[in-house]
Structures are given as structure tokens and as C-alpha cells.
Amino acid sequence: MCGIVGYIGTKKASPILINGLLRLEYRGYDSAGIATIEKDGISLMKDKGRVKNLYNLEGIDDLEGTIGIAHTRWATHGKPSKENSHPHIDNSKTFSVVHNGIIENYHELREFLADNGYTFYSQTDTEVIPNLIHYYYSKDEKNDELKFLRAVRNACKDLKGSFAIEVVCKDYPDNMIVVRKDSPLVIGKGDGENYISSDIPAILSFTRDFYLLNDLEFVILSRNDAKFYDIDLKPIDKKTKTIEWNASSAEKDGFDDYMLKEIYEQPTAIRETIGSKLTENSKCEFEDLTFTKEYLQSINKIYIVACGTAMHAGLAGKNAIEKLCKIPTEVDIASEFRYRDPIIDEKTLCIFISQSGETADTIAALKLSREKGAKTLAISNVIGSSITREADYSIYTHAGPEIAVASTKAYTSQVVLLILLSIYFAELLEIKNEDIANLKKEVLELPKKIEETLKTSEVVKEFSKKVYQEKDMFFLGRGIDETVAKEGSLKLKEISYIHAESYAAGELKHGPIALIENDVTVIGIMTDPKLVEKTISNIQEVVTRGAKTLIVTNQDIDDKRFDMVIHIPHTNTFVSPILSIIPLQLFSYYISKEKGLDVDKPRNLAKSVTVE
Ligand code: M6R
């Protein structure tokens, strides 16, 4: 949540900063601002509302500074307002700071600083940071080149919580300091310039060489250099990492919205995620995994822990692992997992799924599992993301940058990766299961079948036009289809603001059916041949009560019973979520468009949830 951009180079900083913020707006868009170092000191320009409002601020075009920091906010402490917008500045106007994260002890720090004569002008937790830096700076009698760094380091030692911060100082007009703890921040290395950002895609058009920071590594940036220090201010040697994503993968490429582009990128995302891990006639291989048969035999439980859509992908993973490997697997919501005292020991394998790799709850759940002695495996889409640096093992989806807040290609890539993982485990365990050979074939055919499924777009759009003004919708399925119902319902809520519920179809008559009345829309998913007749009976119960029905199926059913039936290619129940979710992604998309909403940046949501 919140997006940070920084620039230090020879070009005018303000257009670069605003451009970067526009790309990071999916992280939060309550207010935005930039601070640049000008000839007469630090200039601050900020306001509430969207980033584009910055273009209207008086004097923004006159900024000449070539060093600057910038921020787009997702409000936590203090309502969206100009005063609460970042950057913040200390009372003496020496330091300006942008911050992503939450300072948990800001009350105590505020009182401490107030007792020392500092005044506060916002309700934010962030405003303590520039003032605390100033406090230490003013107490430091040594006037050497590390004075700025010492002040930032000393202030950070006092901060509890999570933070990624950029600091500029009017006394050091050719430097910027950045540091992170439990909040994302990367540095892009250019030629005679450095870029800073909360994520890689925002600055991919400038460079593909990145420094990835660990917690509490302090960086002094100058135009031609980046010097790294640990918390004791001992220098650290750090190399850049070249990122394979190309700049166009972070562009809309002619699509109206990132979400639609990302839906259509799914054949490629799945192909890339499968990569060379799987061929029809050889064993499934994960270059980065060194699990042994003995280890897998020693574990008695797997936890899959994640949030939102990633958790829904975990449900498909549980289905595959339990069915193929017979290892009991539980799926948990990260924010609950860590507080429910889960039973974990060295016989537990904990798998954490996070597209961004920066979700605070998921990272905290991982740390807890590690402390309790479990082995940890991270699944992420972002190389070098926090979760991958914390885990014992990491494997990656290769979905390319996902910009739209509503996750689409990351979900299907996570499901395919989990299926590959379960095949890998089953083969290591030497489990003889005739499903495996068939499953490999089905996985390899997925990109083609996704392309087929995408052709349902027009029919889905037609149905969306009929129901976009509805207030409530229900998603029903049984078995693996229930997991897709959950994901379909989440997608709809997020971007259309329609109240949506998902249920195991058989559960409806135990209560929720009381909500079904004339013209309520019910979406049924039916891909499991063993359960299709049962689900049809449940849907029949709502049809009888006047519901409008949309069915997504790969089975031969009597279409006449329903208002609209979307037929998708046939596949088995391990991989069916990857196909059956696609019409539902399109459904949410078209409903959101019909309602004239901002598909990529739905209200109140941020792409990366880096606070608890
Ligand atoms: O980056 P992560 O995969 O950890 O994000 C987890 C959830 O916040 C995310 O999947 C969220 O539910 C999406 N907006 C859903 O579309």
C-alpha cells in the first residue's frame, strides 16, 4: 500500500517522479506528492486525490531539481487531505521523507518529539520520521559525510513497525538515503542516475538492473553511485540483478485496461510458468528445489497460507496435493493463521503464496512457521520479493507484472505451479498414480485451451449487460468448483461493488436459499462429472424460486434449463479452475465496464497490502 518513487540524476526529476507515481497508483490513490531539491532548498508539492492532480499545482512546471522523492498514498493514519499527504518535512525544513508502511510506536515518538519542541501538522504516523531524523542530526556534533546517514540510521533504530522510506536533506543536495524494513523498495541503476520505486514495473522503462534491498540496509545514493551499509554502518557489497521482464509488459499495449490485458495474457503466463519444468515423458523438475523422498515421507502435514486470490489458488493446490500425494493439506488465511496458534513443527511443510511477495500478513505467517521449526516454501511472481528472501525455498510464477488490482493471470499461474509442485512431490515419493500421466498432458494443453476459453468473451459480455445493475449475486459450485465460486465472487465484489456470496452448492438449502427471490442472479460452476448432476439439482432449486442463472461448464448439460450456459473446453478437475475462472474474470470485468467504474483501481483497494 502506498507507492514510492525517487530519482537522482541529471534530468529534471518532477516529470519522472509523476510518471512513476502514475504507474504505482494501483498501490493507493488517496493523495499524492513530490519533493525536489531546488536551488533554494526543498520544494514540496502535494494534494489529496489522484496523482494527475499534481499537474494542476501552481509552480509544478517550474521545478528544476534533479533529485526528488514522491508518494501516492493509501490512507492509514489520518484521512486523505493535503496535510496528511506525503512527502512530510521536519520543522526546520531540512529533511523531507516519503514513507510506506506503519510506524506502530508513533504516539510515543510524537510525544517525545513534542516534549523536545517539535510541532506536528498532520495526523500521520509518518511525520515523526523527518522530525526524529532532525532530532538526531541536530545532536550530532561531527560534521562529516556520514552525518546525514547517522541521523537516518539512529531514527530508524527507534521506529517500530514497517517502513520503506526515502529521505532528502537540504544540506546534502547531491544525495538521497533510502532504507526498508518489511515494506518493499527497489533501486534501479541507470547511467549516471538511480531510480527508486516500490516495485520493479514502475521503473522498467528506465532500467532492467536492480539492487534488491534486505531489511535495514541503508543506501546513500548519488548520481553515479549507490553505497550500502548495515545497521552498524559497516559497508555492504551489493550487486545488481537483471530483471527479465520487458518494459512493454508493464504497458496496456492497446487494451483499455490492464485487467483485460492480463486476462488475455493467461495463455503466455501459463506457458512461461510451466517452462521447462514439465514434459509429457519425463519427471517434473524444479531447478530450485532440493526436496528428498525421505523428507517428504517425514512430513505429516502441509499448510498453504495466503490472502485473497492467492488463498483461492491454494485451495486448488490442496486438492492436487491431497489427491496425488496423500499428504493432509490445510489452507489458511494468513491474517488468521498467525493468531490461531497453528500446530506446526519440523514435520510440517508450510507453503506461502503471494503474487507480490510483499503481503504483510503472509510474510508474518511465514516468519512464525519458521520459528516453530517448519520448512517454508514461497511461491511468488516477483523475483527477490520479501517473501522469497525469508523462505527456505522459493519458486516463481512467470506471469509477468500484474498491474490491475484484481488478480487474474497471477491466480491461474499460481494454480498451475501448485499442480506442478504436487506432481513433483508425487514423483519424488514414487507414488504410482495413473492420473499423473494424464494430468501432465492436461497441463501441457492448458495454453491452447485457455485461448479457446477466452473466445467465450462475447457471450459473457452479453450476459453482463443484462445483470450489471443487480445488487446481489450468488456463486455456487461443489468440490473444486466451489473454490472457483469463491474466486469468482471475490472478483465481482472487488471491481463491480456488487454484493456477491459464494457457497458450496449443497449448503444453500441450509440457510442462504432464503435470500433467493425473483430475478436474483446465480452463477453455477460445474466441471466435475461426479458432481454435475448434484449441482444441477441445487441450481434447479434456485431456478424454481425465480433466479436468473449463468452456468460455466465443461459437461454436456441441458442448456435450456438455464438463462445462459458458457461452455468451456473439457479438462480434468485438477486443472479445471484455470479454465472455469476465465469467464468469471471476464464477467466481473464487463460488469465493471458497464457500470463505468475504474476497473484497474477499484475503490478502497490496493494491489499490494503491506500493512496488517
Ligand atoms: O500479492 P498477494 O498475492 O499476496 O496479494 C494477496 C491479495 O491481497 C490479493 O490476491 C487480492 O485478494 C487481490 N486483489 C484479488 O484480486
Side-chain angles (χ1 to χ4, degrees):
M1 344 212 71
C2 302
I4 286 180
V5 189
Y7 175 73
I8 175 161
T10 50
K11 299 181 194 121
K12 218 168 130 148
S14 54
I16 296 172
L17 296 172
I18 298 177
N19 205 286
L21 287 185
L22 286 169
R23 287 166 188 272
L24 283 180
E25 230 185 355
Y26 68 85
R27 301 179 72 89
Y29 24 86
D30 294 330
S31 59
I34 66 174
T36 51
I37 302 195
E38 302 295 318
K39 284 198 188 73
D40 52 352
I42 295 173
S43 149
L44 215 57
M45 300 257 176
K46 56 188 193 174
D47 208 351
K48 73 173 197 187
R50 290 280 171 108
V51 171
K52 64 176 173 359
N53 294 354
L54 291 176
Y55 289 122
N56 304 329
L57 297 181
E58 210 186 310
I60 196 107
D61 293 331
D62 304 330
L63 297 174
E64 294 294 339
T66 55
I67 295 183
I69 58 179
H71 189 269
T72 175
R73 179 168 186 248
W74 188 85
T76 56
H77 296 63
K79 64 180 191 318
S81 69
K82 182 170 178 174
E83 297 67 44
N84 291 333
S85 315
H86 299 215
H88 289 279
I89 196 153
D90 74 299
N91 290 175
S92 74
K93 303 204 180 336
T94 308
F95 298 97
S96 184
V97 169
V98 292
H99 162 226
N100 175 16
I102 288 183
I103 305 305
E104 286 162 5
N105 58 338
Y106 84 102
H107 261 301
E108 295 97 287
L109 293 172
R110 219 169 143 116
E111 271 170 28
F112 167 79
L113 288 164
D115 290 346
N116 281 278
Y118 290 84
T119 308
F120 291 92
Y121 301 93
S122 77
Q123 290 105 47
T124 65
D125 51 340
T126 302
E127 204 185 355
V128 296
I129 304 175
N131 286 305
L132 197 58
I133 295 172
H134 177 264
Y135 170 81
Y136 283 112
Y137 190 73
S138 61
K139 296 261 174 288
D140 191 340
E141 284 168 7
K142 243 178 159 178
N143 255 324
D144 60 2
E145 54 172 11
L146 291 185
K147 181 171 177 170
F148 177 19
L149 178 64
R150 276 195 301 276
V152 175
R153 190 280 309 261
N154 290 342
C156 286
K157 275 186 154 178
D158 289 349
L159 304 179
K160 294 210 174 89
S162 59
F163 50 86
I165 56 175
E166 296 174 327
V167 194
V168 286
C169 171
K170 96 171 157 31
D171 299 342
Y172 289 77
D174 296 312
N175 289 129
M176 177 189 302
I177 292 181
V178 301
V179 56
R180 54 156 283 174
K181 182 183 163 274
D182 297 332
S183 247
L185 197 74
V186 294
I187 299 169
K189 185 180 178 319
D191 189 9
E193 53 190 4
N194 284 301
Y195 297 85
I196 302 94
S197 174
S198 297
D199 74 18
I200 291 169
I203 50 177
L204 255 188
S205 56
F206 302 115
T207 178
R208 283 167 64 189
D209 296 327
F210 286 86
Y211 293 108
L212 304 174
L213 295 184
N214 291 322
D215 279 353
L216 292 173
E217 287 180 346
F218 294 79
V219 194
I220 304 187
L221 292 163
S222 55
R223 291 178 174 84
N224 290 304
D225 206 4
K227 290 195 169 117
F228 298 84
Y229 298 87
D230 69 10
I231 188 90
D232 301 318
L233 301 189
K234 292 208 189 77
I236 305 171
D237 191 28
K238 204 171 262 293
K239 302 266 176 302
T240 55
K241 197 168 173 61
T242 303
I243 300 296
E244 280 164 23
W245 294 345
N246 59 36
S248 97
S249 55
E251 304 292 338
K252 282 192 198 155
D253 276 351
F255 283 89
D256 285 350
D257 305 278
Y258 281 112
M259 182 179 175
L260 191 61
K261 179 187 174 228
E262 289 160 8
I263 290 174
Y264 276 87
E265 279 174 344
Q266 291 179 104
T268 314
I270 297 299
R271 202 174 285 121
E272 296 284 319
T273 300
I274 299 169
S276 57
K277 295 177 196 78
L278 188 71
T279 59
E280 220 171 297
N281 301 315
S282 60
K283 284 196 170 166
C284 186
E285 297 283 352
F286 277 84
E287 241 177 50
D288 298 326
L289 297 185
T290 51
F291 288 113
T292 59
K293 181 179 177 186
E294 291 65 39
Y295 168 72
L296 289 177
Q297 280 174 332
S298 76
I299 58 176
N300 55 20
K301 193 188 338 169
I302 294 180
Y303 276 116
I304 301 181
V305 185
C307 300
T309 287
M311 191 276 287
H312 295 156
L315 294 169
K318 165 187 163 81
N319 177 59
I321 294 172
E322 288 193 333
K323 292 214 167 92
L324 291 184
C325 313
K326 311 289 176 218
I327 306 175
T329 303
E330 277 187 48
V331 179
D332 233 304
I333 297 168
S335 56
E336 290 294 318
F337 181 76
R338 47 189 295 210
Y339 296 113
R340 74 169 179 82
D341 205 6
I343 302 165
I344 304 175
D345 56 26
E346 65 287 350
K347 291 194 171 147
T348 322
L349 170 64
C350 295
I351 302 177
F352 300 88
I353 312 172
S354 174
Q355 184 284 130
S356 61
E358 304 295 346
T359 300
D361 285 318
T362 313
I363 296 171
L366 188 157
K367 288 181 179 166
L368 174 81
S369 311
R370 209 182 43 206
E371 274 160 31
K372 290 189 170 225
K375 280 226 184 315
T376 56
L377 164 63
I379 294 183
S380 179
N381 193 38
V382 181
I383 295 185
S385 55
S386 301
I387 202 165
T388 65
R389 277 177 287 135
E390 295 285 347
D392 297 313
Y393 302 94
S394 297
I395 52 176
Y396 292 93
T397 50
H398 292 274
E402 190 180 69
I403 312 281
V405 166
S407 183
T408 54
K409 62 177 181 172
Y411 166 76
T412 45
S413 304
Q414 286 158 354
V415 175
V416 84
L417 197 64
L418 284 159
I419 291 167
L420 294 175
L421 188 68
S422 58
I423 300 176
Y424 166 78
F425 284 170
E427 289 183 333
L428 265 183
L429 285 164
E430 296 178 47
I431 290 175
K432 299 276 168 272
N433 185 331
E434 61 208 30
D435 282 351
I436 294 180
N438 179 47
L439 179 54
K440 284 183 176 176
K441 197 162 146 290
E442 292 287 356
V443 168
L444 292 168
E445 282 175 2
L446 271 172
K448 212 172 65 219
K449 290 188 177 174
I450 297 173
E451 272 158 22
E452 276 299 301
T453 311
L454 286 166
K455 291 185 189 152
T456 61
S457 173
E458 280 309 310
V459 191
V460 175
K461 190 172 180 178
E462 202 186 307
F463 190 77
S464 313
K465 284 188 177 162
K466 290 188 189 150
V467 297
Y468 76 95
Q469 284 168 317
E470 299 293 320
K471 295 269 176 295
D472 307 285
M473 293 196 195
F474 292 83
F475 289 73
L476 307 179
R478 281 173 175 253
I480 196 68
D481 295 326
E482 192 217 342
T483 71
V484 176
K486 285 190 183 351
E487 174 58 8
S489 153
L490 176 66
K491 273 309 73 99
L492 187 71
K493 282 191 257 268
E494 280 190 284
I495 59 167
S496 76
Y497 315 150
I498 292 175
H499 168 239
E501 301 266 4
S502 65
Y503 281 101
E507 184 65 10
L508 206 65
K509 54 189 169 302
H510 297 286
I513 201 162
L515 297 169
I516 304 294
E517 51 185 351
N518 223 15
D519 268 355
V520 159
T521 301
V522 175
I523 294 109
I525 303 116
M526 307 173 189
T527 67
D528 186 340
K530 287 203 226 94
L531 297 171
V532 63
E533 283 309 327
K534 304 235 172 275
T535 313
I536 288 182
S537 302
N538 299 134
I539 305 276
Q540 199 56 55
E541 291 156 9
V542 300
V543 170
T544 308
R545 287 164 178 83
K548 280 199 288 281
T549 47
L550 169 69
I551 305 298
V552 176
T553 187
N554 58 15
Q555 303 293 304
D556 279 335
I557 59 168
D558 177 8
D559 288 13
K560 289 193 292 299
R561 298 201 211 171
F562 309 105
D563 292 283
M564 178 79 80
V565 178
I566 311 280
H567 288 279
I568 58 172
H570 194 271
T571 182
N572 66 25
T573 49
F574 289 104
V575 295
S576 67
I578 296 172
L579 301 183
S580 53
I581 192 59
I582 290 172
L584 303 182
Q585 295 168 342
L586 289 163
F587 181 60
S588 311
Y589 174 80
Y590 287 124
I591 288 193
S592 180
K593 287 303 268 186
E594 277 305 319
K595 292 180 85 168
L597 301 174
D598 188 338
V599 176
D600 288 337
K601 299 184 199 105
R603 72 181 176 208
N604 304 339
L605 291 173
K607 179 73 181 163
S608 179
V609 186
T610 52
V611 295
E612 254 195 72

